[in-house]
Amino acid sequence: MNGIRRLAQELNVSIGTVSRALNGKPDVSEETRKRVLDAAAAIGYVPNQAGRSLRKGSTGVVGFMMQSGSEITGDGDVFFMSVFDGVQTVCARHQLDLVVLLCSSEEDPDAYLQRVVARGFVDGLIISATKRHDHRITYLADRNIPFIALGRSLTDVGHPWLDLDFEGMAHEGVDRLVAKGHRRIGVFAPLDDINLGHVFVDSYQEALARNGIAFDPDLVFRAYPNDRGGHEIGERIAAMPGDERPTGFLLTNEMLTVGLYRGLYDCGIKPGADCAIIGRHSTNSQYLNPKLTCFHLSLRDLGIELAEGLLATMPAYAAHYPQGVVRRVVPLDLIEGNSDQPLRV
Amino acid sequence: MNGIRRLAQELNVSIGTVSRALNGKPDVSEETRKRVLDAAAAIGYVPNQAGRSLRKGSTGVVGFMMQSGSEITGDGDVFFMSVFDGVQTVCARHQLDLVVLLCSSEEDPDAYLQRVVARGFVDGLIISATKRHDHRITYLADRNIPFIALGRSLTDVGHPWLDLDFEGMAHEGVDRLVAKGHRRIGVFAPLDDINLGHVFVDSYQEALARNGIAFDPDLVFRAYPNDRGGHEIGERIAAMPGDERPTGFLLTNEMLTVGLYRGLYDCGIKPGADCAIIGRHSTNSQYLNPKLTCFHLSLRDLGIELAEGLLATMPAYAAHYPQGVVRRVVPLDLIEGNSDQPLRV
C-alpha cells in the first residue's frame, strides 16, 4: 500500500484530502493539514518531489541567482538579504519557497545557470549581476523558463527586469558635487562586465559634459566591489600628486564605502573634508564618520516588486499579478549627510 | 529519437560520451564537453534532473538552511556569506552546487525543513541556528539524510556538528573586563531558544561566579540580533540609574555591535570609555570608533570544515574525508582594540 493510501485509511479521510494536504492546497483546513502532516511524519512518509515534479511540472521553488565568492561577498552582504526578505513576503502568499543559488565568481555564470536549469528544481528564476551582454537571458527565454532580471542588459528579449536608477545617481551626484565647487570628481567602477558599471560611468561622463568638465579616465577607479577594494582606492588617491587627486568621489557600492573611508583616513586624507563622498545607503553607512550623504531605496520593496514581476510571467500566478511584463528603473532618494562638504579653497 | 541519441549522432561521438559530458564526469575532455553542451543548447536539450534524480538518487546539490527575515538579516549579513565561500570551495572539488535555503523567521523551521526534504533536491544539508531542543536533528537522522549542524543542541543523535566556542568567549571576556576593574558586566542574549544564547549566558554566569561576582539578571539584555536591537540595548542602558548600569558589555553578535555603539553615543554614553565593550570581529567592527576589541575566527575555514564534515557522512564522498563524525568547538582569537578600557574611578 502506498503512503497516501495508508495515510487516508489511518486518518479516515479521502485520498484526495491527504494529497491536497501534502501538496499545500488551500482547500484543506489547518487542522486537517496538521493531522495529515503529523501522521505522514509518524510513518516516515516523504512525498517524493522528484516524482511529483515530473508529474506536475512544478516544484514550488523560486531561485534567486547571485554572485558569491570572497571578492564579491567575502565581507558580507548588506543588499541582497533585504531584497530576499521582500521576495519571501510574496512567495509566502503562494506557498512558494525561495532558494538562493550562489554562483561563485570563479565560475562561468552561463554554465552555472545551465546546470541549475538541468537540475530542474526551480519553477522560476530571478537573476542578478546582469552583464552588458548576458547569455543567461537568451538561454532562459529560449527554453520558456519564467525569469526576471535585477539589472538591465543590452541583451533584450522583451523579458521583465527591474534596475536601480544609476543614471539618476550619477547625474544628481555630479551636479551636487559641482554645485559645491568640485570639478575633479572620481568614481568607482567594477572590474568585470556587469552592466551597472557601464550605465553608471556613461551617465557620469554625460553629467560632466553637461557641466562643462572634461572627462579624465584617471578618475575612474576600478576595484573589487568590497571593503578591500575601497581601501585600495583610498591608497591610490593618496598616491596621486595633490593637484591630480579627486576632491569629490561618487560610488554606488555599499561595502566599498567603509573601506574607502578607512583607506583615506589611513593615508591622512579626511573623507568628507579633503575628499567629498556621495555613496549608497546601508546600515554601515549610517555609522560612518562623517555621516555619509547617500542614495536610498527600500530593498524590501524592490524584492517584493521583483517577485511580483516574476509571478506575473508564470501562468499559475499571472491572474494575481496583472501588471504584465515589468521593465522599470527604480528611483532613489538622496539622504543628506556630512560627507560631501564644499571644495576647500 | 531522444536528445542524447540525437546529440551523439550529430557530434559523431558515443552516447556514453554525451552522457558523461552532460553529467559533468571528469573523464571527458573540456573540448568535448563544450561541443556537447553547445550542441545540446542549440537543439534546446535539457537533461531533466527530476528524472535523473529518481534514477540515480542524487541531485548534486548541498543545501544550507539559514534563518532570514528582517529581524534576523534585514540589515545584511556579515557572517554566513564568508562561511558559504568556504562551503563552495569544498563543493567545487566534487561538482556539487550549494543552495541557500532561507527559512523566514516567521515560519516554523521544522515544517520548513520537512518541505525541503519533501522537495527532494538536496543530497545533504547544513543546518544552522540550532535550538536548545531541535526537532530537525531527529527528523533528518530518522530519514538517514546526511547533515551537519552549525551549533550544538541538547538533541543529540550522535550527528556531526561544529560550533563556535561561546564558553571561551564568555570566560575570556569576563576575565578580561574584571581584570580592568569592571564588576557590572552586561551581556546580550537572543529572544528565541537558539542554543548559543543558553551556552553563552550559562558560561557568563560561571565566569562571574569564578570571579566572585553575583549574577544580576538585569544585566542580561535580550533583543533582536540586529542593529536596531543593539541601538535599543544602548537606550535601555542609558535609562538605568547610573550606579546600576553595566560598565562593561560582552556580546557575540556582529550586526548588533554597530547599533549598540550608536545607541550609546546617541544617549551620551561613550562606548569604550563609559561602557567597555568586547564583541565579535566583522568588517564593520574594524571601522568602529573606538576600534572594537573582538573575538575572531576564519569564517571561510569554518565553511570548509562544515562542508568536509558533511561529505564525510555521505557514502559517495566519505572516502575523501576519513575524519568520521566531526563534533568540534572551534576556538576564537582575541584581537585587541580600544573598546575595553579600564573602569573609570
Side-chain angles (χ1 to χ4, degrees):
Chain A
M1 181 155 47
N2 76 21
I4 290 192
R5 202 172 290 273
R6 183 173 152 198
L7 286 170
Q9 207 170 75
E10 281 193 9
L11 298 168
N12 198 22
V13 297
S14 74
I15 289 176
T17 298
V18 172
S19 171
R20 287 198 301 280
L22 292 171
N23 283 285
K25 299 283 183 192
D27 56 349
V28 180
S29 74
E30 262 318 299
E31 194 201 327
T32 305
R33 189 190 318 284
K34 197 174 174 323
R35 276 180 66 212
V36 171
L37 291 178
D38 287 351
I43 68 165
Y45 175 72
V46 175
N48 189 316
Q49 186 68 38
R52 193 190 299 175
S53 155
L54 278 180
R55 289 192 305 276
K56 299 200 340 183
S58 93
T59 63
V61 174
V62 166
F64 197 123
M65 179 174 168
M66 71 174 277
Q67 278 191 305
S68 65
S70 59
E71 287 162 2
I72 309 288
T73 54
D75 303 316
D77 159 73
V78 291
F79 182 90
F80 284 99
M81 286 292 169
S82 301
V83 177
F84 296 156
D85 189 35
V87 174
Q88 278 190 307
T89 301
V90 177
C91 284
R93 294 176 200 155
H94 306 283
Q95 288 88 43
L96 290 165
D97 282 323
L98 170 66
V99 306
V100 180
L101 307 163
L102 293 175
C103 176
S104 164
S105 56
E106 285 163 28
E107 177 154 20
D108 173 27
D110 299 340
Y112 178 89
L113 180 76
Q114 289 175 30
R115 214 161 60 231
V116 165
V117 168
R119 296 204 197 281
F121 64 86
V122 293
D123 285 343
L125 271 166
I126 301 170
I127 62 172
S128 62
T130 48
K131 291 181 190 287
R132 189 89 164 153
H133 300 275
D134 202 313
H135 296 306
R136 296 177 299 173
I137 292 168
T138 41
Y139 184 85
L140 292 170
D142 286 351
R143 278 152 196 79
N144 287 317
I145 294 165
F147 75 101
I148 186 168
L150 175 55
R152 284 157 284 177
S153 169
L154 293 184
T155 307
D156 187 346
V157 297
H159 63 285
W161 54 258
L162 287 173
D163 205 354
L164 272 56
D165 184 11
F166 291 98
E167 296 91 334
M169 287 189 270
H171 281 279
E172 188 173 348
V174 166
D175 286 354
R176 190 173 162 93
L177 289 170
V178 169
K180 296 189 176 208
H182 298 282
R183 295 185 67 83
R184 291 193 64 73
I185 298 168
V187 286
F188 157 72
L191 292 162
D192 59 10
D193 194 41
I194 192 166
N195 192 54
L196 64 89
H198 293 278
V199 174
F200 186 64
V201 173
D202 290 352
S203 304
Y204 156 77
Q205 288 189 246
E206 286 168 22
L208 289 180
R210 205 167 30 69
N211 283 285
I213 299 171
F215 171 65
D216 178 352
D218 287 345
L219 294 180
V220 177
F221 293 81
R222 294 193 182 269
Y224 285 116
N226 57 27
D227 124 90
R228 287 181 299 283
H231 199 281
E232 198 188 292
I233 291 177
E235 291 164 11
R236 274 149 61 188
I237 290 175
M240 297 169 88
D243 59 344
E244 289 181 17
R245 286 181 192 165
T247 65
F249 204 93
L250 201 56
L251 74 169
T252 59
N253 181 283
E254 301 83 7
M255 292 304 271
L256 196 133
T257 313
V258 282
L260 176 61
Y261 262 64
R262 176 55 56 129
L264 290 172
Y265 268 126
D266 285 353
C267 297
I269 299 175
K270 277 200 187 139
D274 299 333
C275 182
I277 299 177
I278 300 179
R280 262 269 306 136
H281 176 271
S282 76
T283 299
N284 300 307
S285 69
Q286 291 182 264
Y287 300 106
L288 289 169
N289 177 25
K291 188 160 178 273
L292 186 68
T293 294
C294 56
F295 291 101
H296 173 266
L297 85 166
S298 163
L299 296 175
R300 187 167 183 278
D301 288 350
L302 179 68
I304 289 173
E305 196 174 347
L306 270 174
E308 292 184 342
L310 172 63
L311 296 190
T313 70
M314 297 169 71
Y317 308 99
H320 299 276
Y321 304 101
Q323 56 262 61
V325 177
V326 174
R327 299 163 73 92
R328 192 166 88 89
V329 171
V330 182
L332 292 94
D333 297 316
L334 188 101
I335 299 179
E336 297 216 13
N338 308 310
S339 67
D340 57 334
Q341 290 160 34
L343 182 68
R344 295 204 295 201
V345 280
Chain B
M1 183 156 44
N2 76 20
I4 291 191
R5 202 173 291 272
R6 183 173 152 198
L7 287 169
Q9 207 170 74
E10 281 192 10
L11 298 168
N12 199 24
V13 297
S14 73
I15 289 176
T17 299
V18 172
S19 171
R20 287 198 301 280
L22 291 172
N23 283 285
K25 299 283 181 193
D27 57 346
V28 180
S29 75
E30 262 317 300
E31 194 200 327
T32 304
R33 188 191 317 283
K34 199 179 172 319
R35 275 180 66 212
V36 171
L37 291 178
D38 287 351
I43 69 165
Y45 175 72
V46 175
N48 190 317
Q49 185 68 35
R52 195 189 298 173
S53 154
L54 278 180
R55 288 192 305 277
K56 298 201 338 184
S58 92
T59 61
V61 174
V62 166
F64 196 126
M65 179 173 167
M66 72 175 276
Q67 277 192 304
S68 65
S70 59
E71 287 161 4
I72 309 288
T73 56
D75 303 317
D77 159 74
V78 291
F79 182 90
F80 284 99
M81 286 293 169
S82 300
V83 177
F84 296 157
D85 190 34
V87 174
Q88 278 190 306
T89 302
V90 177
C91 285
R93 295 176 199 154
H94 305 283
Q95 287 88 47
L96 290 167
D97 282 324
L98 170 65
V99 306
V100 180
L101 306 163
L102 293 176
C103 175
S104 163
S105 56
E106 286 162 29
E107 178 154 19
D108 172 27
D110 299 340
Y112 179 88
L113 181 76
Q114 290 176 29
R115 215 162 58 229
V116 166
V117 168
R119 297 203 196 284
F121 65 86
V122 293
D123 285 343
L125 272 165
I126 302 171
I127 62 172
S128 62
T130 47
K131 292 182 190 287
R132 189 88 163 155
H133 299 276
D134 202 312
H135 296 306
R136 297 176 299 172
I137 291 168
T138 41
Y139 186 85
L140 292 170
D142 286 350
R143 278 152 195 80
N144 286 318
I145 294 165
F147 75 101
I148 186 169
L150 175 55
R152 284 156 285 175
S153 169
L154 293 185
T155 307
D156 188 347
V157 297
H159 63 285
W161 54 258
L162 287 173
D163 205 353
L164 272 56
D165 184 11
F166 291 99
E167 294 91 333
M169 288 189 270
H171 281 279
E172 189 174 347
V174 166
D175 287 353
R176 191 175 160 91
L177 288 170
V178 169
K180 296 190 174 206
H182 298 282
R183 296 184 66 84
R184 290 195 64 75
I185 298 168
V187 286
F188 156 71
L191 292 162
D192 59 10
D193 194 42
I194 192 166
N195 192 54
L196 64 88
H198 292 279
V199 175
F200 186 64
V201 173
D202 289 351
S203 303
Y204 155 76
Q205 288 188 245
E206 285 167 22
L208 289 179
R210 207 170 24 75
N211 282 285
I213 299 172
F215 170 65
D216 178 353
D218 287 347
L219 293 181
V220 177
F221 293 81
R222 296 195 180 268
Y224 285 117
N226 59 27
D227 125 271
R228 286 182 299 283
H231 199 281
E232 198 189 292
I233 290 177
E235 290 165 11
R236 273 150 61 188
I237 290 175
M240 296 168 88
D243 58 345
E244 290 180 18
R245 287 181 193 165
T247 65
F249 204 92
L250 201 56
L251 73 169
T252 59
N253 181 283
E254 301 83 8
M255 294 303 273
L256 194 134
T257 314
V258 282
L260 176 61
Y261 262 64
R262 174 57 54 132
L264 291 172
Y265 268 126
D266 284 353
C267 297
I269 299 175
K270 276 198 187 140
D274 299 332
C275 182
I277 299 177
I278 299 179
R280 263 271 304 136
H281 177 271
S282 77
T283 299
N284 300 308
S285 69
Q286 291 182 264
Y287 300 107
L288 290 169
N289 178 26
K291 189 162 177 273
L292 186 68
T293 294
C294 57
F295 292 100
H296 173 266
L297 84 166
S298 164
L299 296 175
R300 187 167 183 278
D301 288 351
L302 179 69
I304 289 173
E305 197 174 346
L306 269 175
E308 292 183 342
L310 173 63
L311 296 190
T313 70
M314 297 169 71
Y317 308 99
H320 299 276
Y321 304 101
Q323 56 262 60
V325 177
V326 174
R327 299 162 73 93
R328 191 166 88 88
V329 171
V330 182
L332 291 94
D333 296 317
L334 187 102
I335 299 179
E336 297 215 14
N338 308 310
S339 67
D340 56 336
Q341 289 161 35
L343 181 69
R344 295 203 295 202
V345 280

